[in-house]
Amino acid sequence: MGRGKRIVFDPFSLDLANECLWRGSQAIKLRPKAFAVLDYLLERPGQLVTKEELLNAVWPGTFVGEAVLKVAVHQIREALGDDQKLPRFIETAHRRGYRFIRPVAESGQSLSKEQEIRSNNSASDPAQNGGIQGVVERDRALSRMRSSLDKMLAGERQIVFVTGEAGIGKTALVDTFARSIASDRNIRIGRGQCLEHYGTGEAYLPVLEAIGRLGREQRQVVDVLRTHAPMWLLQMPSLVSVSDRELLTREVFGATRERMLREMGAALEALAAEMPLVLVLEDLHWSDYSTVDLISYLANQRQAARLMLIGTYRTVDVIVSAHPLKAVKRELLAKQQCEELPLEYLSKEGIAKYLAVRFPDQVFPSNLAELIHERTEGNPLFMVNAVDYLVAEGLISESEEGWRFVAKIENLEVRVPDGIMQLIEKQVDHLDANQQRMLEAASAAGAEFSTLVLVEALEEDLTLVEARCDELARQRQFIQDRGVHIQPNGEAVSRFGFIHALYQNVLYERLHASRRVQLHRRIGGHLES
């Protein structure tokens, strides 16, 4: 490619004459050597450029190590907002060099149709980049989110719930989706987080956080709030002056809760009319009830709006706490006013893909992924923590030939992350005393158990025990139905099993030694008889 004055790679351009990086009309600072490295890569789009070649080109006649090059590439990635694990611009070829993967054109030229398609695909579907750390086996969910985004861009408002248990990868999925559309300057993204609270939480907390952030970044958001939602603007004192707050206080005096709903509905629609808006609200299982009311209000409005609301929550926490979100989601699903994306555990193949992406040029035992899956049962957070533990212990290490597993595979042990242990403990604490006693007895019986075993262990009525098991299994709390087992005497008994071995382990650890002995004695006596 000949040398023009400017090289364009959407949404950036490199000004060669003035040695400056631009994003639209915004100039982005880049140090001279980092600029030179980027320029060299842009001259060879799609080609592997070795580290030695870059060092010779940018630091000619100077003895420098690879660390200097790594620093320059890190500076470029920071300037572009690129992620080494989710590259949209610069891809690392392990131990060899770098490759610029975004379509490139000179100023005055336009991208070919093929380049545009490739560019759009790489931005909208990160899974096409070979699998991303933490989001393997989420292609279908990402595709459905992209489909919802397309509907939103056409004017059909969208409510999407991403659900699953702790550690299943809800935030990782939403982060990946958000990054895939972040380079589109015609989409506004706001994010808010619900916080666990004891007692009454602040009304509309995650929405206030999301809109407040947007207001600090984009002044026009404040203007929209001033016009359409003065009550909301009053809740964000950092966005207005003292004198404005006094005027707003007089204006909204005596306003009602219903007015707050109408105001935010009008404000979000006004913002979406200016520019499509994606609003992400995380951990809705901790949300205040007013936020749930707002979600229902937005979903039930029939006028067109380029608005997409994405909410994440833990299914079990919503059930255990009897949170109103459960009823609202069920109603919206029945009226086809929302979409739910429940996330499942990773398969053995998914874990193998994760290892292949995280450890390029690795030579691992063929059954390593299978063993990690066996120990973690495919919980993404547990799996990532388990692999981090193996790296920290030196069981997975890097050599000149690549990554190696340096222990005996049959001796592989995986430590349960403390954070997940604590989450399970909190879920157990939300159960009533009878449910806790029953699950603790089940943990002593094994990964699978019959209701007759629990009857003997607890010395309780079969009808009560089966009713508790059915309720927990129906709500997918800790256990699941494993069908009916026919006893040698011809009697049919219900069987259940723990959803995850972690649940059994945590519940068993809660038992005092004397209680364990008592339960094992009763269970053993039943099995013997």
Side-chain angles (χ1 to χ4, degrees), residues 219-452:
R219 196 63 198 175
Q220 60 268 39
V221 173
V222 180
D223 297 334
V224 169
L225 292 175
R226 193 185 306 277
T227 301
H228 296 278
M231 283 185 71
W232 285 77
L233 189 55
L234 192 59
Q235 308 302 311
M236 307 176 212
S238 63
L239 300 182
V240 291
S241 65
V242 175
S243 57
D244 278 346
R245 284 201 295 272
E246 292 175 354
L247 290 172
L248 288 169
T249 300
R250 290 196 293 270
E251 182 179 341
V252 304
F253 179 75
T256 62
R257 173 174 168 274
E258 287 73 18
R259 175 177 167 179
M260 282 205 78
L261 278 175
R262 291 196 307 271
E263 279 193 1
M264 182 44 64
L268 291 176
E269 288 173 8
L271 288 172
E274 285 184 355
M275 184 183 299
L277 173 62
V278 175
L279 191 63
V280 179
L281 307 180
E282 294 198 68
D283 292 331
L284 287 174
H285 50 275
W286 288 327
S287 69
D288 58 278
Y289 293 178
S290 297
T291 296
V292 177
D293 287 342
L294 178 61
I295 293 172
S296 177
Y297 178 85
L298 293 173
N300 280 287
Q301 300 305 299
R302 306 316 310 148
Q303 60 270 33
R306 295 181 301 171
L307 170 66
M308 180 176 182
L309 188 147
I310 302 172
T312 71
Y313 68 85
R314 299 179 198 155
T315 313
V316 169
D317 290 54
V318 166
I319 294 170
V320 169
S321 63
H323 199 286
L325 180 61
K326 177 185 175 183
V328 168
K329 186 208 68 178
R330 183 184 296 160
E331 180 183 350
L332 296 181
L333 279 173
K335 296 191 293 186
Q336 298 184 330
Q337 292 175 337
C338 78
E339 183 169 12
E340 182 178 10
L341 302 181
L343 301 186
E344 302 294 337
Y345 290 147
L346 301 178
S347 67
K348 288 179 286 189
E349 293 74 21
I351 293 178
K353 185 176 182 181
Y354 171 87
L355 293 173
V357 172
R358 178 165 176 179
F359 304 104
D361 300 330
Q362 47 96 344
V363 182
F364 290 158
S366 59
N367 58 339
L368 178 60
E370 182 178 353
L371 281 172
I372 292 176
H373 182 270
E374 181 183 314
R375 301 296 195 273
T376 66
E377 299 189 24
N379 179 293
L381 179 60
F382 189 8
M383 183 268 294
V384 171
N385 275 271
V387 174
D388 287 345
Y389 170 73
L390 295 177
V391 173
E393 292 295 308
L395 302 180
I396 291 178
S397 63
E398 189 176 17
S399 66
E400 288 296 326
E401 292 77 27
W403 291 93
R404 298 289 186 273
F405 183 74
V406 297
K408 290 184 177 181
I409 195 73
E410 60 270 17
N411 296 333
L412 176 64
E413 293 185 6
V414 175
R415 186 178 63 186
V416 179
D418 292 337
I420 291 183
M421 296 280 283
Q422 292 167 7
L423 285 172
I424 295 173
E425 285 274 7
K426 289 174 69 174
Q427 290 175 9
V428 174
D429 289 341
H430 277 115
L431 301 174
D432 65 42
N434 288 327
Q435 289 173 323
Q436 289 183 30
R437 285 183 66 252
M438 185 188 73
L439 287 174
E440 287 168 355
S443 73
E448 281 196 24
F449 51 88
S450 73
T451 49
L452 281 183

